[in-house]
Amino acid sequence: WLKLGSKCGSPVASAGTMASYVKVADPHSRANVRTMGLGHLLLALAAAVAVWNFLPTGSPETFVEGIATHVARDVNVARWNAKPAFEIRSRYEGVSRSRYLRRLRHRRWCAQFEYPRTFGYVLKWNDTAGEGIVIDQEQTQKYLVIRDEIGKAYHNHATLQTTEFVEFFKTDEMDEVSGLPLAKNVTGPHGTYTKGSYEYREIMLRAGNFPKRWQDNFEDYEVKVGEWWTQPKWRCGYPAK
């Protein structure tokens, strides 16, 4: 509030007169600050429109719609031709393009042999005898597999894990002892490496440092065979009964 008749708002007034006051707008009030901010925003928006109109590719329509219409044609074509991720996976059987090409090469390699290639499961594996039994995916025929016919393994001492999903050639060569046909070139699905038996991995872990690929030696490991608990070295000094 400012008193009329005073200088620069001085509170001094003449005697015998009634002082009158006038309300003066405060430049720091909230309403004034809000009004000034809105004015600055409108001024900046008008300046942006003016600058955009002076650009070679600018126009009032592109300012409102954006610059997507002024992107190079090859960029737009690349966007239109882009496929969603699920369409790309379905195109390559749910895998990446490089893995799909490896599968194609594996199929062409399998087509060179006279025996058909099939998927199956490992029913049993005897590491002492070095042989096991696999069954085809339809569970119609069992096959005998020996250690030498394991095509891809991460260890020199190749083994198979029970219930492991494998791929092999089903042949008509019969084994006289078991009476089962032989399974040859046993690998993981689509020609990958087999997992190997859990027991052999435990043996390598108990021996100390786990060996790298194809650097294991089965003769260096201490294997418990037969009734191993009756042997003196496993009795912990207790006499045999």
Side-chain angles (χ1 to χ4, degrees):
W1 292 85
L2 181 63
K3 185 193 301 181
L4 294 178
S6 62
K7 295 181 180 180
C8 300
S10 175
V12 179
S14 59
T17 60
M18 182 178 293
S20 59
Y21 297 87
V22 178
K23 186 176 183 180
V24 181
D26 185 9
H28 300 289
S29 62
R30 293 185 179 179
N32 292 335
V33 171
R34 190 181 302 111
T35 305
M36 293 174 60
L38 182 59
H40 292 165
L41 180 60
L42 292 176
L43 182 61
L45 185 61
V49 172
V51 172
W52 187 267
N53 289 331
F54 280 108
L55 291 177
T57 59
S59 65
E61 292 78 10
T62 55
F63 183 80
V64 176
E65 298 175 0
I67 61 174
T69 57
H70 291 270
V71 180
R73 182 178 180 278
D74 53 351
V75 177
N76 280 332
V77 171
R79 290 177 180 176
W80 295 336
N81 293 335
K83 300 292 184 181
F86 67 92
E87 292 187 8
I88 296 177
R89 290 196 299 268
S90 60
R91 181 179 178 183
Y92 296 109
E93 296 182 356
V95 296
S96 61
R97 184 174 181 271
S98 59
R99 184 173 296 183
Y100 178 71
L101 292 178
R102 288 198 297 267
R103 289 184 179 183
L104 285 181
R105 289 192 291 267
H106 175 67
R107 293 173 186 174
R108 292 176 182 176
W109 174 80
C110 295
Q112 302 175 3
F113 300 91
E114 57 177 335
Y115 298 114
R117 190 81 172 173
T118 185
F119 296 102
Y121 299 93
V122 180
L123 291 181
K124 184 171 58 175
W125 175 257
N126 187 351
D127 196 35
T128 303
E131 61 183 23
I133 298 176
V134 295
I135 189 171
D136 57 0
Q137 193 173 11
E138 291 77 14
Q139 299 184 4
T140 57
Q141 180 62 49
K142 295 180 180 180
Y143 298 87
L144 178 69
V145 55
I146 59 177
R147 196 189 309 275
D148 294 338
E149 289 298 335
I150 300 178
K152 283 189 175 182
Y154 285 125
H155 310 291
N156 293 327
H157 186 73
T159 58
L160 292 176
Q161 175 63 36
T162 307
T163 69
E164 181 180 356
F165 188 58
V166 293
E167 184 181 357
F168 56 92
F169 287 113
K170 51 181 183 180
T171 67
D172 53 2
E173 302 178 7
M174 301 296 296
D175 180 68
E176 298 179 355
V177 178
S178 61
L180 296 175
L182 296 177
K184 293 188 175 182
N185 203 324
V186 180
T187 63
H190 305 289
T192 56
Y193 288 90
T194 56
K195 296 180 179 180
S197 65
Y198 173 78
E199 290 78 9
Y200 184 57
R201 292 197 299 269
E202 284 292 321
I203 292 174
M204 291 186 291
L205 284 174
R206 286 196 301 265
N209 295 330
F210 196 85
K212 297 182 178 180
R213 296 180 179 179
W214 309 294
Q215 294 185 4
D216 59 301
N217 188 6
F218 182 74
E219 297 179 355
D220 297 340
Y221 303 128
E222 193 172 32
V223 183
K224 300 176 180 179
V225 181
E227 296 181 353
W228 53 271
W229 56 87
T230 61
Q231 301 177 9
K233 62 179 179 180
W234 301 111
R235 291 203 302 262
C236 299
Y238 290 95
K241 294 183 179 180

